[in-house]
Amino acid sequence: MLTKRQKEILDFVESYSQKKGYSPSFEEIRKRLKLASVSTIHFHISKLKEGGFLGKTENKARAIIVASKDPMVKIPFLGTIAAGEPIEAIRQNEFIAVSKNILPSTGNLYALRVIGDSMVDENIKNGDVVLVKQQDTAENGERVVALIDNHEATLKKFYQERGHIRLQPANKTFEPIIIRKDRDIKIQGVVLDVIRNLDSNVDVETQQSPQQIQSAKVFDEVPINSVLHGDTISLLRRFPDKSVDLVLADPPYNLSKGNNINFQNKGLKGFGGKWNKVMEDWDNLPFVDYMNFTYEWLKEVKRVLKPTGSVWVFGTYHNIGLINTIFQILEVEIINEVVWYKRNAFPNLAGRRLTASHETLLWAHAGNGKRNYYFDYHASKEFSEDSDRLKERGRQMRTVWDIPNNKEREELRFGKHPTQKPLRVCRRIVKISSKPGDVVLAPFAGVGSECVAAKELGRRYIGIELEKEYVDIAKKRLSATNEIKTLFN
Ligand SMILES: C[S@@+](CC[C@H](N)C(=O)[O-])C[C@H]1O[C@@H](n2cnc3c(N)ncnc32)[C@H](O)[C@@H]1O
């Protein structure tokens, strides 16, 4: 299945190749489609290859090979469908292109993007696009789009039972919806196929500009003291400009790329959590995708930051160079680079490298040439913590922080995250770069460490996290968190 933009690229590559006998360069495609960056083209070409529409690239300049002449069919893309909410129509002329080979020979089809995770056990995840065949009847067990009482549209499994219809979620944490005779239900279609990953950032941009998304759905007020479940870029686009004082971002480091190790933690003392988790989808993007992703979320961060605000980003060599470069592209000035030294780092098991024992943090502001960002110099100078052997009270804080990576028992009480940050690091950042009452945003909230530190220190917080499992843990942690008045002596 292709997006409109990918179809345009495919058409151009095909006609160009027919005319000239060789394929266009990325730069020629970029110019023809009037796109800002070649990396966007790379992204689309890689999607076209994955889908088998273009052949594998040989290692030469003009090497995009048109592999498939599959006739493509335009399918109307009607919008989003969420449990309990009406279908939210987007632009009338949206469509996606689908290879004719995978479609039934008869019937009207449409596509919807699914919001929510009530169907995860059927492998339909938040953000997926489903291909639906329009029809008003269904067999038991089929996945249907149903309209209840003429206003609630939902995607569920259909069961006609004695005296009622049961709409069954494919997720144990959701209750079935029972429709008795006094209620109205209309079947609007049956799901034929699920298309993953159509929700890439680049695709969103080609279908609806960020401005369109923003003007359609912008939050009246930022959702203070909550952890939002969803994709950070889509949600940040709904934030008003200049609405956040501090961003504390612990993004996926893209650690898994090119690394097929699947390290299952069986019995290593002191190492909790599922280590194989860091090899999950969100941490395993092709480099170009990761670059686009990083650019998009940092662009939104810059937009939502107040001129007095600043952003901290955690990283390692896998991603921090890219973050640094994108800050420069976006004209976000770096204030400091901090090395978080982890005295208790785990030794390198293979003995083929040095023991990785630090992470790097970049601190930056978006003051457009003016350095008005908030910094509590006094607090930084007076700061001391027994565990930090490099910081003496009354002396300026340096850019190397000695903070053990272990977590207190309380930090793990409601569940763990494979890359959970210790509260000691988060508190230090919140303390020196925000004031009580400020809005602290954690765009990759995980199990909520940054939000917990903010709440403890009397700041307001907003977390955003893609995985429901982590959102739930973060919420539990936050409701058990109280403000602490004397964290720093
Ligand atoms: C490095 S972890 C953050 C851990 C966090 N600092 C903590 O202490 O719990 C990165 C998190 O980003 C989440 N994530 C990945 N892609 C995301 C996206 N597009 N939007 C929101 N969250 C995302 C992952 O699910 C993961 O939990």
Side-chain angles (χ1 to χ4, degrees):
M1 173 168 287
L2 299 179
T3 63
K4 185 177 162 192
R5 176 68 81 204
Q6 287 159 6
K7 175 87 169 72
E8 280 170 3
I9 294 178
L10 185 63
D11 287 347
F12 176 59
V13 173
E14 272 181 338
S15 63
Y16 185 107
S17 307
Q18 269 169 13
K19 220 182 288 164
K20 306 219 177 200
Y22 54 87
S23 52
S25 68
F26 283 17
E27 182 55 23
E28 282 162 339
I29 303 175
R30 186 194 69 74
K31 278 198 190 138
R32 171 62 181 249
L33 278 99
K34 299 193 177 70
L35 285 173
S37 87
V38 172
S39 63
T40 312
I41 307 285
H42 276 276
F43 172 83
H44 289 305
I45 296 282
S46 69
K47 290 279 163 205
L48 287 166
K49 284 186 192 158
E50 272 169 34
F53 299 101
L54 292 176
K56 296 268 177 265
T57 318
E58 289 163 33
N59 202 9
K60 52 185 180 176
R62 292 174 183 271
I64 306 162
I65 300 158
V66 182
S68 162
K69 291 250 186 320
D70 263 6
M72 304 292 289
V73 180
K74 280 184 187 177
I75 304 291
F77 183 46
L78 295 190
T80 58
I81 181 163
E85 286 173 27
I87 293 179
E88 191 186 326
I90 56 173
R91 285 203 317 240
Q92 292 285 305
N93 59 354
E94 291 293 339
F95 69 92
I96 50 176
V98 187
S99 161
K100 199 173 176 185
N101 294 347
I102 68 162
L103 299 180
S105 49
T106 57
N108 289 334
L109 299 170
Y110 58 92
L112 292 172
R113 191 186 302 280
V114 179
I115 307 288
D117 42 21
S118 68
M119 292 295 282
V120 282
D121 293 345
E122 283 281 314
N123 218 13
I124 302 178
K125 296 188 183 154
N126 186 30
D128 284 350
V129 170
V130 286
L131 193 59
V132 185
K133 182 172 181 197
Q134 202 171 346
Q135 59 184 64
D136 53 15
T137 56
E139 300 288 324
N140 276 1
E142 281 187 316
R143 300 165 301 181
V144 296
V145 173
L147 184 67
I148 306 167
D149 298 336
N150 279 322
H151 70 277
E152 267 185 49
T154 190
L155 177 65
K156 296 282 177 296
K157 288 181 83 175
F158 174 89
Y159 292 94
Q160 170 85 61
E161 292 172 341
R162 198 185 300 175
H164 64 257
I165 286 169
R166 172 165 57 96
L167 294 177
Q168 183 67 40
N171 181 337
K172 286 187 207 80
T173 59
F174 286 74
E175 295 294 324
I177 303 171
I178 305 293
I179 310 285
R180 298 190 199 284
K181 290 210 170 78
D182 55 336
R183 296 184 69 186
D184 185 51
I185 176 167
K186 289 188 186 74
I187 304 299
Q188 301 203 308
V190 170
V191 173
L192 294 183
D193 209 347
V194 186
I195 294 101
R196 190 124 306 133
N197 280 336
L198 209 65
D199 192 23
S200 86
N201 314 315
V202 181
D203 288 341
V204 169
E205 233 187 340
T206 58
Q207 289 167 2
Q208 279 184 290
S209 71
Q211 290 73 18
Q212 280 170 318
I213 290 171
Q214 202 180 307
S215 60
K217 304 183 195 165
V218 76
F219 289 123
D220 292 335
E221 283 172 34
V222 282
I224 293 299
N225 296 340
S226 52
V227 180
L228 310 175
H229 176 208
D231 166 54
T232 215
I233 298 169
S234 315
L235 283 163
L236 284 180
R237 282 179 179 151
R238 300 177 57 184
F239 280 50
D241 292 354
K242 302 185 177 57
S243 50
V244 167
D245 296 286
L246 173 65
V247 176
L248 195 39
D250 185 16
Y253 292 6
N254 220 27
L255 285 176
S256 321
K257 201 53 225 147
N259 179 353
N260 295 323
I261 304 166
N262 191 0
F263 178 51
Q264 305 278 346
N265 175 26
K266 294 206 178 109
L268 281 172
K269 287 214 170 72
F271 268 73
K274 293 181 253 172
W275 275 71
N276 55 334
K277 267 271 190 188
V278 295
M279 305 300 168
E280 290 215 333
D281 288 353
W282 52 262
D283 211 16
N284 195 10
L285 289 176
F287 183 71
V288 172
D289 297 8
Y290 185 70
M291 206 166 67
N292 283 326
F293 166 73
T294 306
Y295 179 81
E296 286 302 323
W297 74 259
L298 282 174
K299 192 173 81 184
E300 290 309 313
V301 161
K302 176 182 175 179
R303 188 184 61 75
V304 303
L305 265 180
K306 294 181 187 170
T308 49
S310 63
V311 46
W312 288 79
V313 186
F314 285 92
T316 56
Y317 68 88
H318 303 86
N319 69 329
I320 209 74
L322 182 65
I323 306 272
N324 187 321
T325 307
I326 293 178
F327 270 152
Q328 295 183 56
I329 293 169
L330 291 171
E331 298 183 1
V332 170
E333 189 185 36
I334 295 173
I335 306 166
N336 274 127
E337 177 191 59
V338 167
V339 170
W340 162 26
Y341 165 52
K342 303 176 184 174
R343 201 186 318 143
N344 57 343
F346 193 67
N348 181 264
L349 290 177
R352 301 283 302 157
R353 316 172 166 213
L354 305 179
T355 296
S357 49
H358 77 279
E359 285 189 37
T360 308
L361 291 102
L362 290 179
W363 181 28
H365 75 100
N368 285 331
K370 297 199 185 99
R371 294 186 180 142
N372 289 333
Y373 60 88
Y374 179 80
F375 171 45
D376 191 336
Y377 174 70
H378 178 74
S380 73
K381 201 164 167 189
E382 290 312 310
F383 176 86
S384 80
E385 214 169 36
D386 286 347
S387 59
D388 188 340
R389 298 177 192 164
L390 300 171
K391 175 69 176 81
E392 277 175 42
R393 185 199 303 271
R395 304 200 58 170
Q396 283 195 342
M397 188 177 283
R398 298 182 192 200
T399 53
V400 181
W401 299 355
D402 171 11
I403 306 177
N405 192 23
N406 35 2
K407 266 77 65 186
E408 308 276 343
R409 178 185 292 212
E410 180 60 25
E411 293 177 55
L412 306 174
R413 185 171 138 206
F414 297 102
K416 298 166 189 173
H417 188 290
T419 57
Q420 185 170 339
K421 293 291 175 282
L423 282 176
R424 267 192 287 249
V425 184
C426 303
R427 286 182 192 132
R428 190 184 292 208
I429 297 169
V430 171
K431 179 74 182 166
I432 65 174
S433 47
S434 68
K435 306 183 289 301
D438 275 358
V439 175
V440 177
L441 167 72
F444 303 96
V447 290
S449 311
E450 297 83 357
C451 297
V452 168
K455 186 171 179 191
E456 283 179 343
L457 290 163
R459 276 66 166 169
R460 294 175 292 165
Y461 61 86
I462 307 167
I464 304 177
E465 169 56 47
L466 199 56
E467 301 286 341
K468 180 78 168 48
E469 166 191 1
Y470 300 143
V471 174
D472 292 343
I473 297 174
K475 284 186 176 167
K476 285 185 198 147
R477 280 181 85 187
L478 282 155
S479 49
T481 299
N482 295 314
E483 192 175 330
I484 305 173
K485 296 285 181 199
T486 53
L487 264 178
F488 297 91
N489 40 18

